[in-house]
Every structure is written in C-alpha cells, then in structure tokens.
Amino acid sequence: MSEERRDQRDWGPVSGAERSEIATALALLEAGDWQAAHLIVQQDEDSALACWAHGIVHLMEGDVSNAHYWYVRAGREFPQQPQTATELAALKRALTGR
C-alpha cells in the first residue's frame, strides 16, 4: 500500500480536543522534544492517531520494539525501514487531511 494511501485511511471520529492534543504532540516531535510529546500521547491509548504518534515517539527514542507495539495498536503497518521525518510528515497529513 502506498504511503499516501495509508495516510488516507479512516481514523474514525477524532474530537477537536484530541486533534489539538495530537497536533501539540506533533509540533513537539517536529522540534525534537519526544519526551514532552510522550507525556501527551501516553494519556490516550484508545485513539489510533495518538497510538501512531506514540510509536513515532519511541522511534525517536530509539526503542524500535516499543514503536512497533504502538504501530500495531494504531492499526498501522510498521515501516520496514522507519524514517522519523517520513512518519512525522505522514502523521501531519493524516491529522490535517492534506
């Protein structure tokens, strides 16, 4: 499945508050502050987008096995060669719909 097609999947209902929290975590991840982003995403283990962001946190941390776990929780295929920048861009597209 292409990267763009994977980003277009239906993530289910995402509340405004949830979208805002994930956007904040995404901004922190883009700034390299995975620890602060982790504090946000670990509060929501039910949202697929938050679980995906949680997986990216662990990619940035260097904990690939934990990242894989969170990708499974998100219902997202774990990349064969995960690249943080690629995953952040994909999460941003999924969050914004662009």
Side-chain angles (χ1 to χ4, degrees):
M1 182 181 300
S2 75
E3 187 67 33
E4 189 168 320
R5 173 124 171 104
R6 286 177 33 202
D7 297 340
Q8 304 273 325
R9 76 172 266 213
D10 179 13
W11 292 97
V14 179
S15 72
E18 177 185 344
R19 190 173 301 277
S20 176
E21 290 292 314
I22 296 169
T24 299
L26 176 61
L28 290 165
L29 289 168
E30 290 175 324
D33 191 352
W34 62 263
Q35 295 97 336
H38 191 248
L39 293 173
I40 295 169
V41 299
Q42 71 183 357
Q43 300 301 314
D44 185 356
E45 295 186 359
D46 296 322
S47 160
L49 285 173
C51 287
W52 181 12
H54 202 151
I56 296 170
V57 162
H58 289 293
L59 281 178
M60 292 181 78
E61 178 189 18
D63 187 349
V64 176
S65 64
N66 204 354
H68 184 268
Y69 168 82
W70 287 104
Y71 272 68
V72 170
R73 290 282 307 263
R76 184 164 173 88
E77 182 181 332
F78 192 73
Q80 288 184 341
Q81 296 182 340
Q83 300 292 320
T84 304
T86 302
E87 290 301 299
L88 288 173
L91 177 60
K92 184 178 244 178
R93 283 191 303 273
L95 188 61
T96 63
R98 307 178 229 165

